[in-house]
């Protein structure tokens, strides 16, 4: 079935290193992708989005890469900080399905000082 | 704070009782969404509104669930005759625009526990 999934459930990195969180999606009709950060007890926090007509987008310390050929999405966090520790979700939207976002299971990022 | 606001933050109730949650979206946002999230999982879509019109409902939204957005501003989600399986975090999100490809901004949710 259609799904958005993450390759790794947990990721542990050293403070100051770069982090890469990966996501696979199965539906080539998806045309919009979002990364969220969720801390314990809080709602998902928007990080960055990308549309299917782009393959890269940069924000502050974050970069999202989209590879439509292999249906792969990644989030790169530069100079990871302890405050980046959280669960990260990718989500997709298909234009013919209104506003519904389909989320993956999530990757827990742990930053060691 | 001008973000999405949800009330209450926590709700504990006995099985069979009715519960109602409220969501106040970001003021200029015309779209409002409800999701449900269980431990260790990503949020699952329940329903969404554009202004006061409910445009889509998930099959997860059984007959016991009803959502309203009567004036196109705040929204309520009611669960009747609650069951153990309803225990979850209920998240509300809002966005602006007529097209679907706009970032949705989430509130901190209402955590429902069924005894």
């Amino acid at each position: 079935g259609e799904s958005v999934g993450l390759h790794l459930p947990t990721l542990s990195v050293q403070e100051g290193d770069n982090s890469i969180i990966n996501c696979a999606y199965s539906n080539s009709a998806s045309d919009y992708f979002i990364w969220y950060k969720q801390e314990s007890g809080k709602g998902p926090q928007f990080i960055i989005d990308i549309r299917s007509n782009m393959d890269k987008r940069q924000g502050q310390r974050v970069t999202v890469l989209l590879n439509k050929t292999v249906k792969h999405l990644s989030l790169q966090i530069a100079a990871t900080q302890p405050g980046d520790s959280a669960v990260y979700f990718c989500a997709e939207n298909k234009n013919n399905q209104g506003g519904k976002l389909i989320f993956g299971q999530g990757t827990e990022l742990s930053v060691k000082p | 704070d001008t973000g999405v606001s949800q009330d209450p933050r926590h709700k504990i109730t006995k099985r069979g009782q009715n519960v109602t949650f409220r969501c106040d979206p970001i003021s200029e946002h015309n779209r409002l969404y409800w999701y449900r999230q269980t431990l260790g999982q990503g949020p699952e879509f329940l329903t969404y509104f554009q202004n006061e019109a409910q445009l889509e409902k998930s099959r997860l939204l059984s007959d016991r669930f009803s959502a309203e957005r009567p004036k196109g501003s705040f929204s309520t989600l009611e669960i009747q005759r609650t069951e153990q399986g309803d225990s979850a975090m209920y998240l509300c999100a809002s966005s602006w625009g007529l097209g679907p490809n706009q970032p949705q901004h989430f509130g901190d949710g209402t955590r429902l526990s069924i005894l």
Side-chain angles (χ1 to χ4, degrees):
Chain A
E2 301 167 355
S3 66
V4 175
L6 297 172
H7 294 306
L8 297 172
T10 60
L11 177 65
S12 184
V13 300
Q14 204 71 34
E15 180 179 0
D17 288 351
N18 297 334
S19 302
I20 299 176
I21 301 172
N22 295 303
C23 178
Y25 65 95
S26 60
N27 195 317
S28 58
S30 295
D31 58 3
Y32 180 60
F33 304 89
I34 308 182
W35 281 100
Y36 286 94
K37 171 187 179 183
Q38 188 171 27
E39 296 174 286
S40 180
K42 295 189 176 182
Q45 176 187 354
F46 170 75
I47 301 173
I48 192 168
D49 59 359
I50 188 168
R51 289 168 172 72
S52 58
N53 60 351
M54 304 171 68
D55 54 20
K56 181 179 180 179
R57 192 170 187 211
Q58 290 184 294
Q60 186 177 13
R61 285 201 304 118
V62 295
T63 300
V64 55
L65 299 177
L66 176 62
N67 186 330
K68 294 182 287 296
T69 301
V70 295
K71 299 176 187 172
H72 185 267
L73 190 70
S74 69
L75 177 70
Q76 300 178 0
I77 305 174
T80 314
Q81 303 168 0
D84 295 327
S85 295
V87 177
Y88 289 80
F89 292 97
C90 64
E92 67 174 313
N93 174 269
K94 289 169 280 187
N95 197 37
N96 63 354
Q97 291 199 0
K100 176 172 66 178
L101 288 176
I102 300 173
F103 284 80
Q105 186 174 9
T107 292
E108 183 173 8
L109 176 65
S110 176
V111 182
K112 295 178 289 186
Chain B
D1 189 342
T2 57
V4 177
S5 177
Q6 293 190 245
D7 183 71
R9 289 297 313 280
H10 303 275
K11 179 69 176 179
I12 300 173
T13 192
K14 294 181 179 180
R15 183 168 53 93
Q17 297 296 304
N18 299 341
V19 294
T20 300
F21 310 140
R22 176 180 172 124
C23 172
D24 287 89
I26 294 171
S27 59
E28 63 268 24
H29 285 181
N30 60 341
R31 285 194 167 197
L32 186 148
Y33 311 81
W34 286 99
Y35 291 83
R36 181 172 69 187
Q37 185 177 28
T38 54
L39 196 62
Q41 302 295 318
E44 294 178 293
F45 172 80
L46 293 177
T47 188
Y48 88 96
F49 295 82
Q50 182 165 299
N51 300 313
E52 66 275 9
Q54 189 173 18
L55 296 187
E56 187 174 353
K57 292 170 59 174
S58 165
R59 57 181 171 79
L60 295 175
L61 215 66
S62 74
D63 291 345
R64 296 184 298 106
F65 288 70
S66 62
E68 295 182 343
R69 195 184 184 198
K71 298 182 179 179
S73 56
F74 74 92
S75 175
T76 58
L77 177 68
E78 181 183 15
I79 308 174
Q80 296 181 329
R81 305 180 302 282
T82 52
E83 302 174 354
Q84 291 282 350
D86 296 333
S87 294
M89 175 78 84
Y90 289 85
L91 293 163
C92 177
S94 69
S95 69
W96 168 250
L98 297 178
N101 294 345
Q102 300 294 333
Q104 296 178 22
H105 298 272
F106 283 81
D108 285 335
T110 294
R111 180 167 294 284
L112 175 64
S113 298
I114 306 298
L115 301 178

